[in-house]
Amino acid sequence: MKKICIFIGSRANYSSIKAVMRAIQKHPELELQVVAGASAVLDRYGSVINLIEQDGFSVVARVHMLIEGETPTTMAKSTGLGLIELPTIFESIKPDIVLTVGDRFETMATTLAAAYMNIPIAHTMGGEVSGTIDESIRHAITKFAHIHFPASRDAYERIVKLGEPEPSVHLVGCPRMDLVAEMLSVSRSEVDESIFRLGVGDRVDIDKPFVLVSQHPVTTEYGTGREQITATLQAVKNIGLPAIVLWPNADAGSDDIAKGIRIWREKGLDTDMHFFKNLPISTYVQLMKRTKCLVGNSSSGIREGAFIGTPVVNIGTRQAGRERGSNVIDTGNDADEIASAIQKQLSHGPYGFEPIYGDGTAGEKIADILSRTVVQLQKRITY
Amino acid sequence: MKKICIFIGSRANYSSIKAVMRAIQKHPELELQVVAGASAVLDRYGSVINLIEQDGFSVVARVHMLIEGETPTTMAKSTGLGLIELPTIFESIKPDIVLTVGDRFETMATTLAAAYMNIPIAHTMGGEVSGTIDESIRHAITKFAHIHFPASRDAYERIVKLGEPEPSVHLVGCPRMDLVAEMLSVSRSEVDESIFRLGVGDRVDIDKPFVLVSQHPVTTEYGTGREQITATLQAVKNIGLPAIVLWPNADAGSDDIAKGIRIWREKGLDTDMHFFKNLPISTYVQLMKRTKCLVGNSSSGIREGAFIGTPVVNIGTRQAGRERGSNVIDTGNDADEIASAIQKQLSHGPYGFEPIYGDGTAGEKIADILSRTVVQLQKRITY
Amino acid sequence: MKKICIFIGSRANYSSIKAVMRAIQKHPELELQVVAGASAVLDRYGSVINLIEQDGFSVVARVHMLIEGETPTTMAKSTGLGLIELPTIFESIKPDIVLTVGDRFETMATTLAAAYMNIPIAHTMGGEVSGTIDESIRHAITKFAHIHFPASRDAYERIVKLGEPEPSVHLVGCPRMDLVAEMLSVSRSEVDESIFRLGVGDRVDIDKPFVLVSQHPVTTEYGTGREQITATLQAVKNIGLPAIVLWPNADAGSDDIAKGIRIWREKGLDTDMHFFKNLPISTYVQLMKRTKCLVGNSSSGIREGAFIGTPVVNIGTRQAGRERGSNVIDTGNDADEIASAIQKQLSHGPYGFEPIYGDGTAGEKIADILSRTVVQLQKRITY
Amino acid sequence: MKKICIFIGSRANYSSIKAVMRAIQKHPELELQVVAGASAVLDRYGSVINLIEQDGFSVVARVHMLIEGETPTTMAKSTGLGLIELPTIFESIKPDIVLTVGDRFETMATTLAAAYMNIPIAHTMGGEVSGTIDESIRHAITKFAHIHFPASRDAYERIVKLGEPEPSVHLVGCPRMDLVAEMLSVSRSEVDESIFRLGVGDRVDIDKPFVLVSQHPVTTEYGTGREQITATLQAVKNIGLPAIVLWPNADAGSDDIAKGIRIWREKGLDTDMHFFKNLPISTYVQLMKRTKCLVGNSSSGIREGAFIGTPVVNIGTRQAGRERGSNVIDTGNDADEIASAIQKQLSHGPYGFEPIYGDGTAGEKIADILSRTVVQLQKRITY
């Protein structure tokens, strides 16, 4: 049995890799080792670890590695703490391959720990282009990884250009689409008013037109988050539709955005708005299907958006360079500009399906390749 | 004044960047901030920090970050510890640019700390190709760096292919050559018998033919170091010339090589051999000039070797892919093969100068570029 | 100038030492060095660091040392992280004396760092007796400290019995009482309805009878916090008076209590109750003056309570062994028992002043002693 | 089965507890969990971990926690690193009791980790008095420990005075004496010239009179170690007997003493002297039996010395206050004073047996008590 270790560091991580975890667990020649850490083990981010266990996966180790503060400094230090903790775990569970997801700072810690310890590394979601420090982390991880699972054609080509040997790069699509496909197949009636028992603020009638807001900090623009979220909320307010607003990710600068939201509420500007810290991903996908427009800088607008056909207004630099479908309108961080883009999307209505980030079968493809691949530990750039 | 912070983590680091430090210190628009850490602050690696201060540089902070053990696990953890310590220092000295050197694990910690903290990163010695995990670290650092100072044409082209914008890549040569040029200009008589007051073993007559041995662990071949050094020492023994042998670097696996040397000595096989833990770089350069053959896997054979014209037998995978001159013969880790390559070099004698790794003016070029460059913090791959 | 370094790790820490900080700052021969860390630097605990700066103190360094999770494991690890960070700071600011406060885990880190680095240690609030792990930490710190500032006669005697030389033990009273005296001297009208702009829940008329609840986790009874707070809330409910409820401290087990409160609210049992995460200490003191009864396990009931004369129902083991006045009735963690004790206090009404924990002049006494004391670094038990 | 976890952090630790480990392993109701860390896992301190395994114990986890440098700062940081690592291990092996040994900094980390995690703590060698920071650490650990195993009557009484409940204090003697008794029972001929295959310097004829030197740094006198060892070596030189000299422990200041020894040797003053980094404890005991005089500040002179009857010259403050037999003469750090004390011991010759530190049966007593004791987790001072 080949032991595949997956580190889950956040709710987003988990939904990006859950389809792969399932496929590994089913595969006769693979053994799954789940390590949970960072925000995934914390109550205040919704205890993703419980979710993981409820879904039938067993967690072999948990790593408390987040140093409180959510500043650039604590982000660096948290990575450091992860690098101190993870080798102890890898020494004890001895994985054959470590599979890392995406481009967050905990991914960097996982990757470095495995690299120093001569454990082969597989990587999903490499080769994409975006803003923030994730851009550097993602390509750096590619330079450590031995097996690559890009989600789109564009990303595939970029990884090869980065000097990775073609046989090690596998275009499989994004495993999140496997889940999205599944979630869209359930009845529309599964999401109803009961979701508003959680969160705070006014209830929104989700059978009528509403806007969905999901905006995260841009780490290279640290200190501007409060202004940015305020512009977005102002734009939504001006449009006059009710809105469902999501809390930002744990990242350098999220306190800043959180403060922006809190001040907005304290000023009493939050009528017809409801705020969620965490939403089950299935609920979120249903909301993406129903909303008149998704506003913010979440990657979901571009990725799941293309699959679902959601009209999206994508703000600022955070998703710059990411391959996107016709469903996305890009704008700057200006309330008027944002409002006018939302207006355009309201006139257009829903878009058709575009399979840019996969067709919903990535999980099984990845498990299969992992079971077959023999890794050459010493990497060598191809040029 | 633009503040340029340089982290020195080892003796090798220091000689790779000393010429740049001097040029920065002289430059009217630059301020130098030296941080010393890792093995550079330790007595048992020869207290490089004292050397730095004797050379007229002041050290603004020191970082104890090496966790004892020198296994892959402690190497990862030491990087983690560096990542916990360095942000505190950067917060306090607020550099405008962090200049990182090469591809060691402490370089990775410096790079990540700066990257998370939104401090622009300059990098020397990027774009080269070699064996071991350094290969991955080096290219990963390139993906974080904003200004690149490759040492050779080959390296320059590789960095551009890695998707870095051409205007950010500057072919300046290796700053070590600045020092080598200077050291070779002093009289040959500066190195004499007195060097044997340090180290252990028999004295070697350096006015007669002798072999120089410098062999380091290959981290991806962890556990084989003892065999490898034994094969090399056996080959040298078979040739019959006296030998000067250098102790390995602090790295995963160096205990293994050290043990090989210790057992060799305990068996009494060390006649006509002298062993040094540390040599002043100027002495080493003089020995490279005089030796009949440099044997091992040190990068100096390939880099300084090309500049000096030293006959080199390069063993194993550690320097694989590095651009090299006609002075190098490559072999595997086999005593007979090594002995026969040494024999060939003895017949050939010294080689001519080849400026593959610079012409001795890198320091000033780098300082000048640092003073002029305006950095765009948000990186974006070029393709 | 003698440099006195004080580490502030929480809001409670700050109010325990603020009077001393003021006196040091005024003293002609002393220089104050404030280091802020642990929860004191975090937004979600009310950014005590801003308060410190608004009060006219400058903070020379900040330490992010809290690892998220608030379990026994992360508490240990956070202490470890503090021990990695603090020596760097002490090396840079070179204090002559480190003054540590009380018995929290960050206090242990401060103490150990200073002890290993041969920096003399002064300690306030030593020698007292209480439940939880604080009991061990407090006495252990006494064994490291060179100058002792107990708050009560009892505590003084206990420190001497612990083998500390009598000349090093100074009975000065608790510096918090300095602040309480000051706060009580301002007009009653300073606290009004406006405090309810913060927190959540129903408003309470503070001119009419109300109960004040402040209950923290008992670390040696980890896992029982939810039950305990529920019993307390039930007792208060049964009494029928409105209540002001404070959120627990950050400590192992506080999530548990927080969850108890959250479930209480979700069940809709929170009518006539208002919940605060943080209250300005001055507001809290005014509420202690006005409340019919303080219920819970906060040390304030026993300490400030004796000074103010507040009727207190003290629940469970957390304050066991602490010297107390006639204003306190002790009970177990049982709703009925608690309710009947509250009833007794309602019948009794306010108590008279008892100066068990000082007369409000501790700050100046401590500063004076610090300025005069010459410390013998090598400690030796007296028996 | 009650799981007893013992952390071994150094060679000295190991010989202090080995007899207990054996007795636990034999005990039908106890399960032994050995964790090795600090210098015990390092090659350069003689890989104590291999010794442990050769002795038939299995090591369940190893902790790399020593940060290189051996300064007060790194000692504090190493404790911090231990506090980050150990909770992960305790979480995984879930001991019922953690047994800590003595008073070194790694003991502090073990103790704090267990204390925060609500694991009962047993402690050997508490209650003694000595110099250096060990004095504070030892008594602080007593304040955390739930079961105490003092080695001498004096120590027993001191622990009770420190406020520990008498039923929790057990006078059992020092477990090292169990080993000493055993070692002395083997034939004198077991130690011969072959020991000089290790170490460096001249061979010493151990069948003729010789002096044994063992001197460690005094942490509260950091920076004076070089002078101190030089005075001692000078005194020995003046006496004119050959000497066997032991290298210092890893501790803040040991580099300083090591440097003193190195300079002594480089000056060529080391005739008739042999230097050992590590000696098997059995060899050391045999040398203590044979030497004319043990010189330095090692606790072995006082403890094993009383059992064996070795004439001892004890230098400086390191052992101040430790209960001692008639075999010890105390002196200051002055070469003449030391020499004259040695002279007195040469005239006196060997002393008789004094069972101050136990009669050689501590191991079994401790195991028995551990198996029977029910621990009350919440500690409370007795006065």
Side-chain angles (χ1 to χ4, degrees), chain B residues 41-45 64-71 73-74 77 81 84-85 198 255-256 259 262 266, chain D residues 41-45 64-71 73-74 77 81 84-85 198 255-256 259 262 266:
Chain B
V41 296
L42 296 175
D43 270 17
R44 73 175 181 118
Y45 297 101
H64 283 284
M65 57 184 273
L66 282 192
I67 298 174
E68 294 210 39
E70 282 157 19
T71 63
T73 306
T74 58
K77 285 175 188 274
L81 193 56
I84 288 177
E85 296 276 10
L198 293 177
D255 273 3
D256 215 29
K259 191 176 289 180
R262 249 181 276 123
E266 279 163 29
Chain D
V41 296
L42 296 176
D43 269 18
R44 73 175 181 116
Y45 296 102
H64 284 284
M65 57 185 272
L66 283 191
I67 298 174
E68 294 210 38
E70 281 156 19
T71 64
T73 307
T74 58
K77 286 174 188 274
L81 192 57
I84 289 177
E85 296 276 10
L198 295 178
D255 272 3
D256 216 28
K259 192 176 288 180
R262 248 179 277 123
E266 279 163 29

Side-chain angles (χ1 to χ4, degrees), chain C residues 49-65:
Chain C
I49 191 170
N50 297 343
L51 217 67
I52 296 173
E53 289 177 336
Q54 282 158 25
D55 286 345
F57 302 109
S58 65
V59 174
V60 296
R62 62 191 66 202
V63 195
H64 283 283
M65 58 185 273

Side-chain angles (χ1 to χ4, degrees), chain A residues 71-340:
Chain A
T71 64
T73 306
T74 57
M75 204 157 133
K77 285 174 188 276
S78 293
T79 307
L81 192 57
L83 256 173
I84 288 177
E85 296 277 9
L86 286 165
T88 308
I89 292 171
F90 288 164
E91 262 194 345
S92 135
I93 67 174
K94 298 195 192 340
D96 294 303
I97 294 176
V98 167
L99 174 57
T100 64
V101 184
D103 47 30
R104 281 179 56 83
F105 68 91
E106 51 265 30
T107 312
M108 195 72 225
T110 316
T111 303
L112 279 174
Y116 285 127
M117 297 178 77
N118 294 328
I119 304 168
I121 296 161
H123 184 212
T124 61
M125 301 176 70
E128 301 184 23
V129 176
S130 71
T132 86
I133 190 171
D134 301 351
E135 168 79 2
S136 297
I137 293 180
R138 192 182 317 109
H139 301 317
I141 292 174
T142 291
K143 296 313 298 176
F144 283 107
H146 301 84
I147 315 175
H148 307 273
F149 296 116
S152 69
R153 166 62 47 189
D154 232 44
Y156 174 93
E157 274 159 20
R158 224 173 265 117
I159 291 173
V160 171
K161 279 192 192 152
L162 276 162
E164 298 298 302
E166 279 206 60
S168 72
V169 192
H170 308 273
L171 177 51
V172 292
C174 174
R176 293 181 80 125
M177 298 311 135
D178 300 27
L179 302 186
V180 172
E182 194 181 298
M183 288 161 190
L184 290 178
S185 71
V186 303
S187 144
R188 179 187 166 88
S189 63
E190 294 238 332
V191 172
D192 61 23
E193 284 263 310
S194 68
I195 64 173
F196 295 105
R197 271 190 241 134
L198 295 176
V200 294
D202 293 343
R203 297 194 165 203
V204 169
D205 184 343
I206 55 176
D207 289 321
K208 297 198 179 148
F210 69 93
V211 169
L212 188 60
V213 178
S214 174
Q215 188 150 340
H216 303 293
V218 181
T219 54
T220 47
E221 299 167 4
Y222 188 70
T224 61
R226 188 172 142 192
E227 254 173 74
Q228 293 179 358
I229 186 69
T230 308
T232 302
L233 293 174
Q234 191 56 55
V236 170
K237 191 95 204 149
N238 295 350
I239 288 296
L241 286 185
I244 291 173
V245 182
L246 285 115
W247 224 250
N249 280 344
D251 223 332
S254 46
D255 272 3
D256 217 28
I257 291 192
K259 191 176 288 180
I261 296 180
R262 248 180 278 122
I263 289 169
W264 183 265
R265 294 190 60 214
E266 279 163 30
K267 286 189 181 156
L269 296 167
D270 57 340
T271 45
D272 274 341
M273 288 184 169
H274 198 88
F275 301 82
F276 287 106
K277 290 234 164 157
N278 295 295
L279 272 181
I281 174 76
S282 59
T283 306
Y284 184 68
V285 162
Q286 292 289 355
L287 293 178
M288 279 190 71
K289 183 75 187 168
R290 293 195 197 192
T291 187
K292 287 294 163 195
C293 183
L294 167 60
V295 183
N297 58 11
S298 160
S299 63
S300 63
I302 288 166
R303 302 170 76 90
E304 284 84 348
F307 195 90
I308 303 173
T310 314
V312 169
V313 171
N314 177 66
I315 304 172
T317 62
R318 193 162 179 266
Q319 302 302 331
R322 210 186 270 278
E323 201 175 352
R324 60 197 66 194
S326 49
N327 67 312
V328 178
I329 301 179
D330 291 293
T331 76
N333 280 290
D334 175 78
D336 289 345
E337 206 185 328
I338 298 167
S340 111

Side-chain angles (χ1 to χ4, degrees), chain D residues 200-324:
Chain D
V200 294
D202 294 342
R203 294 192 168 205
V204 169
D205 184 343
I206 57 176
D207 289 323
K208 297 199 178 146
F210 68 93
V211 169
L212 188 60
V213 177
S214 175
Q215 188 149 340
H216 302 292
V218 182
T219 53
T220 48
E221 299 166 5
Y222 188 70
T224 62
R226 189 172 141 191
E227 256 174 71
Q228 294 181 357
I229 186 69
T230 308
T232 302
L233 293 174
Q234 191 56 57
V236 170
K237 192 94 206 151
N238 295 350
I239 290 296
L241 286 185
I244 291 174
V245 182
L246 284 117
W247 225 249
N249 281 344
D251 223 331
S254 47
D255 272 3
D256 216 28
I257 291 193
K259 192 176 288 180
I261 296 180
R262 248 179 277 123
I263 288 169
W264 183 265
R265 295 191 59 214
E266 279 163 29
K267 286 189 181 157
L269 296 167
D270 58 339
T271 45
D272 274 341
M273 288 185 169
H274 198 88
F275 299 83
F276 287 106
K277 291 236 161 156
N278 295 296
L279 272 181
I281 174 76
S282 60
T283 305
Y284 183 69
V285 163
Q286 293 289 354
L287 293 177
M288 278 189 72
K289 183 75 187 166
R290 294 195 195 192
T291 187
K292 287 295 165 196
C293 183
L294 167 59
V295 183
N297 58 11
S298 162
S299 64
S300 63
I302 287 166
R303 303 170 75 90
E304 284 84 348
F307 195 91
I308 303 173
T310 314
V312 168
V313 172
N314 177 65
I315 305 171
T317 61
R318 195 163 178 266
Q319 301 301 331
R322 210 187 269 277
E323 202 176 351
R324 60 196 68 194

Side-chain angles (χ1 to χ4, degrees), chain D residues 156-167:
Chain D
Y156 174 92
E157 276 158 19
R158 224 171 267 116
I159 290 173
V160 172
K161 279 192 193 150
L162 276 163
E164 297 299 301
E166 279 206 59

Side-chain angles (χ1 to χ4, degrees), chain C residues 206-220:
Chain C
I206 57 178
D207 289 322
K208 297 201 178 145
F210 68 94
V211 170
L212 188 60
V213 178
S214 175
Q215 189 149 337
H216 303 293
V218 181
T219 54
T220 48

